[in-house]
Amino acid sequence: MRIAIAGAGNVGRSIAQELIDNGHQVMLIERQPKMLRPDRVPAADWVLADACELASLEEADVAGCDVVVAATGDDKVNLVVSLLAKTEFAVPRVVARVNRAENEWLFTEQWGVDVAVSKPRVMAALVEEAVTVGDLVRLMTFRQGEANLVEITLPPTAPYVGQAIHAVPIPRDAALVAIVRGKRVLVPTPDDPIEAGDELVFVCTAAVEDDVRAVILGPASADRHRS
């Protein structure tokens, strides 16, 4: 894919290098000359320009990009970049960085954002994921809340511990996508058993999260969560 990243700070450069390592073509757009450091990501195309200006984005051929990532440290800039990328250049996928949790509500489709990545929310989710056993933890939200990536670490008392996955009545609009067991990541198959201590990773809609919780942990767990 051809990907444009607005903001060449530590976050933007890290994203760029990761995407380049995965075989994508990356362009970094930065408005501050002192932040232009092509030696840090030599395989990227570097552009000195203001990503909030239409003319700059036209000159950089943002319309030819598959993805635009608004990765600056300023939420206002990220919103403007997202809106321009989507409405003026019809970029198929716009990903925006949210720096301040109180601004997260703004990062919606109305502002051209397909995926909002909130650093405070991600960090909080990682803390919960590391210490929570026996409850559902939301790790990430996709498509403006239509689907979530959630994790449940199974306690020994979970109802389906020791049984095969095909015996678990996973609700509609939910999919078990991975099992993390110790240092291994397993792609689940119907005959695989689930064990106490397994981290089950699901993609599901928000509407069925309680149903997933009730099935995997038992109805009492869902009742406690609702109360």
Side-chain angles (χ1 to χ4, degrees), residues 21-138:
D21 290 343
N22 290 336
H24 302 293
Q25 181 184 352
V26 176
M27 171 175 58
L28 278 162
I29 304 173
E30 176 56 55
R31 65 180 177 179
Q32 299 184 47
K34 65 179 182 180
M35 297 299 294
L36 284 181
R37 300 172 181 173
D39 57 304
R40 298 288 183 91
V41 192
D45 297 323
W46 287 74
V47 176
L48 178 62
D50 187 343
C52 291
E53 294 183 356
L54 269 175
S56 298
L57 298 178
E58 288 175 353
E59 188 173 348
D61 190 25
V62 167
C65 291
D66 301 290
V67 182
V68 164
V69 181
T72 78
D74 188 324
D75 285 344
K76 295 188 295 295
V77 171
N78 291 343
L79 284 170
V80 171
V81 170
S82 298
L83 186 62
L84 292 177
K86 183 64 70 174
T87 60
E88 298 295 331
F89 299 98
V91 175
R93 193 75 164 167
V94 177
V95 179
R97 170 188 177 187
V98 184
N99 296 279
R100 298 179 65 87
E102 61 265 31
N103 295 332
E104 190 173 355
W105 66 277
L106 288 165
F107 286 74
T108 64
E109 291 179 353
Q110 284 70 33
W111 278 94
V113 179
D114 294 305
V115 179
V117 182
S118 170
K119 291 171 62 181
R121 181 181 291 276
V122 169
M123 291 182 70
L126 291 174
V127 170
E128 285 190 297
E129 186 273 335
V131 301
T132 301
V133 176
D135 201 359
L136 181 146
V137 177
R138 186 180 296 174

Side-chain angles (χ1 to χ4, degrees), residues 159 213-215 217-224 226:
R213 183 184 282 107
V215 167
L217 298 172
S221 175
D223 291 342
R224 286 195 302 270
R226 282 191 288 266

